[in-house]
Amino acid sequence: MRKDLPIWLGTLAGGFVVATRWFSLVNATGIDRTADRLIVASYAAAAAVGFIGLTRVHLRAIEARRPLWGYSIVLLVAMYGYSGVLFLLPTSAPLPNWIFQNVMGPIFSTMYGLIAFFITSAAYRAFRVRSLESALLLAAAALALLGNSALGGRIWQGWDGVLAWIMAVPVTGGFRAVQVGAALGALGTAVRVLLGLERSHLGSPQA
Amino acid sequence: MTALQRLRHLDRRWLYLGALLVTAAGALWPLRIAPHPSAETRTAFDLAQALPSGAGVFVYVEYGLGSREELDPMLAAVLGHLASRHARIVIAARSPEASQVAETVMGEVAARFPAYADGYGGSWVNLGYRPAPDVALRAATNGIAAAYNGVDYAGRPLTGMPILQALPVLDHAHFALAYAFDSGDGFAPMIYYVGTPTRIPVMIGAISMEVPVLQPYLAAGQLAAVIGGARGAAEYEALAGQPRRADVLVGASAMAAVYVLAVMLLGNVVARLP
């Protein structure tokens, strides 16, 4: 029963969504809008579950004085503090806006900026020419780097044309293959879930 | 041991320091490189330039705070261009932070155009974010106000706003263009739920790293154009005569690209040493 009920629920919910997408007759009843409202409600419920789960995990870490438990306090203060501010004030009010621009903004920009350092390290250690394929990869990376930075077009006018060809032919072909493969894989998994054949999302077989 | 041989065991923190110095130099002493407009950016510009006065444009903002440096100048350039064409702009967001980013950028743009500074609800509106954003986007093709629960970003009622009386539904009859400014997978719902069923031409403003992912959609005609990264933003600013905010980024990224290339070459030379 612990497994059968979730499987049947998944099959019914998935079949319902498929029917609303594929058959206009179903939508004529307005049931697709009901489905939309249910999805929105499930998002809100998932956020609430996440909030509660995060609180429990970090409260336990603080109680047990686990390593780095101080960061758990920071997390809870930030989460409840900002939620409280947004509960009391509209998003457009000065205080939430100040927190957004001057606290969250620099933190996220710093996180994003760290990518530059990892790229540098990877360029030094990983981009080694060991075969014809890796030499081609290195050449394509160099062309794309200079072309995207606008410097290539300044050095040689044909550079932009070369970059456009790389994007239109090998890149398009490569990504199309990846995307078609991923879509077929997703479709296969979806069919397995709908038919109740896929059970890994329900936990281990012993559960 | 020669200096080159010592480089084999180079501490990566020296590489980090070099990256910091190069990007800081690029930001402090901008290298002004005016890029030649690419065909893609020109297509995006031409489509907006051809808009008749009062045309409806839907702008979907997906990116958050991490991508602001790269995408804010692009969003500002496009919104500024649309405002100069007297377009009616409906903005929506895919996350709570994106709605605040959109509000900030559009606020700066509106301050430059009197019709927009005093024209909230008439010339533009920010619908903000709703949970299950893909569902809201799809529902907007039946009715925008209902899809966004009848309130805008700040909780003001949408009922009575002239812009939504003129543009009640996200469809081809009301909207001439749609944009997504994206740093992740926000472009996909725009194609699935807006571009393909409604036939509204969709354009994407994306971070540089995402541009390759968009190429198949561009080749298939599912996207009208892609404006890519800081370079695309600088090209668009130049074409549309907007304030040049992206030039600094182009110069800094050019210097960073040269540094990364030099590091790649050095890594290969060092690897070949006996």
Side-chain angles (χ1 to χ4, degrees):
Chain A
M1 187 63 183
R2 278 184 68 188
K3 290 250 167 151
D4 289 344
L5 186 63
I7 286 170
W8 275 108
L9 281 175
T11 304
L12 285 173
F16 175 69
V17 173
V18 169
T20 60
R21 295 289 181 275
W22 286 6
F23 304 108
S24 53
L25 191 63
V26 178
N27 289 346
T29 62
I31 206 163
D32 57 329
R33 293 178 196 183
T34 307
D36 284 350
R37 282 197 288 275
L38 285 172
I39 292 170
V40 173
S42 68
Y43 259 65
V49 168
F51 214 87
I52 294 164
L54 212 56
T55 305
R56 287 181 60 187
V57 166
H58 287 278
L59 278 180
R60 277 194 210 132
I62 295 165
E63 275 172 13
R65 295 288 192 272
R66 287 189 195 135
L68 307 176
W69 61 273
Y71 292 115
S72 295
I73 296 177
V74 175
L75 183 139
L76 291 176
V77 168
M79 189 167 80
Y80 280 95
Y82 195 53
S83 301
V85 167
L86 290 179
F87 191 74
L88 296 170
L89 299 167
T91 337
S92 51
L95 181 61
N97 207 27
W98 186 89
I99 295 172
F100 183 78
Q101 303 286 357
N102 299 298
V103 180
M104 289 167 70
I107 290 171
F108 277 91
S109 295
T110 305
M111 295 287 288
Y112 192 64
L114 286 176
I115 294 171
F117 297 100
F118 293 121
I119 288 174
T120 308
S121 182
Y124 187 71
R125 295 182 198 285
F127 252 121
R128 298 277 162 86
V129 177
R130 294 190 178 92
S131 61
L132 177 65
E133 291 86 347
S134 60
L136 286 172
L137 188 67
L138 184 75
L143 284 169
L145 256 177
L146 282 179
N148 272 328
S149 71
L151 210 56
R154 288 279 146 192
I155 297 167
W156 172 50
Q157 287 210 333
W159 211 300
D160 288 343
V162 173
L163 184 67
W165 181 84
I166 290 174
M167 296 302 259
V169 181
V171 169
T172 301
F175 270 98
R176 194 170 269 168
V178 169
Q179 285 166 345
V180 169
L184 287 173
L187 183 66
T189 306
V191 170
R192 283 178 59 82
V193 170
L194 283 177
L195 297 177
L197 299 171
E198 179 64 50
R199 293 168 180 237
S200 58
H201 60 292
L202 301 173
S204 63
Q206 289 78 28
Chain B
M1 188 185 278
T2 66
L4 271 176
Q5 282 169 331
R6 254 184 245 129
L7 283 174
R8 183 170 282 178
H9 306 288
L10 182 70
D11 189 326
R12 69 183 66 187
R13 282 173 293 188
W14 288 110
L15 297 172
Y16 295 165
L17 180 65
L20 178 69
L21 292 175
V22 167
T23 47
L28 293 172
W29 298 285
L31 190 66
R32 300 276 173 194
I33 309 169
H36 303 295
S38 66
E40 285 311 317
T41 311
R42 188 166 280 285
T43 305
F45 169 78
D46 288 343
L47 281 167
Q49 186 70 8
L51 286 174
S53 180
V57 176
F58 184 74
V59 177
Y60 194 54
V61 180
E62 185 275 342
Y63 68 96
L65 293 159
S67 313
R68 283 193 80 170
E69 306 306 327
E70 197 171 359
L71 289 179
D72 269 8
M74 189 191 296
L75 179 60
V78 171
L79 288 173
H81 186 210
L82 293 172
S84 73
R85 303 300 305 159
H86 309 291
R88 280 186 283 213
I89 304 167
V90 175
I91 300 170
R94 196 154 193 258
S95 67
E97 55 180 296
S99 68
Q100 211 152 344
V101 166
E103 182 74 9
T104 307
V105 177
M106 187 60 209
E108 290 165 7
V109 171
R112 294 195 281 122
F113 296 89
Y116 289 80
D118 305 322
Y120 187 80
S123 300
W124 69 283
V125 65
N126 182 2
L127 301 169
Y129 159 81
R130 291 291 167 271
D134 296 356
V135 171
L137 198 59
R138 194 171 66 84
T141 58
N142 293 322
I144 293 172
Y148 284 83
N149 294 346
V151 289
D152 74 352
Y153 155 80
R156 291 169 288 227
L158 296 173
T159 321
M161 284 193 185
I163 190 166
L164 287 181
Q165 286 168 357
L167 309 167
V169 182
L170 182 54
D171 63 11
H172 196 265
H174 298 93
F175 284 85
L177 284 177
Y179 293 85
F181 290 87
D182 184 49
S183 63
D185 57 357
F187 71 91
M190 280 293 280
I191 294 171
Y192 304 153
Y193 303 131
V194 179
T196 304
T198 69
R199 302 285 168 200
I200 301 170
V202 173
M203 285 188 273
I204 308 286
I207 57 171
S208 305
M209 280 193 292
E210 198 191 347
V211 172
V213 183
L214 300 169
Q215 294 305 310
Y217 299 97
L218 202 57
Q222 288 171 294
L223 292 177
V226 171
I227 311 169
R231 182 185 169 171
E235 291 169 356
Y236 201 95
E237 285 172 353
L239 284 167
Q242 294 296 309
R244 310 294 289 269
R245 290 174 57 185
D247 281 0
V248 176
L249 297 174
V250 171
S253 65
M255 289 173 72
V258 171
Y259 176 70
V260 170
L261 269 179
V263 164
M264 276 192 325
L265 285 175
L266 185 66
N268 277 284
V269 170
V270 169
R272 271 166 175 56
L273 288 175

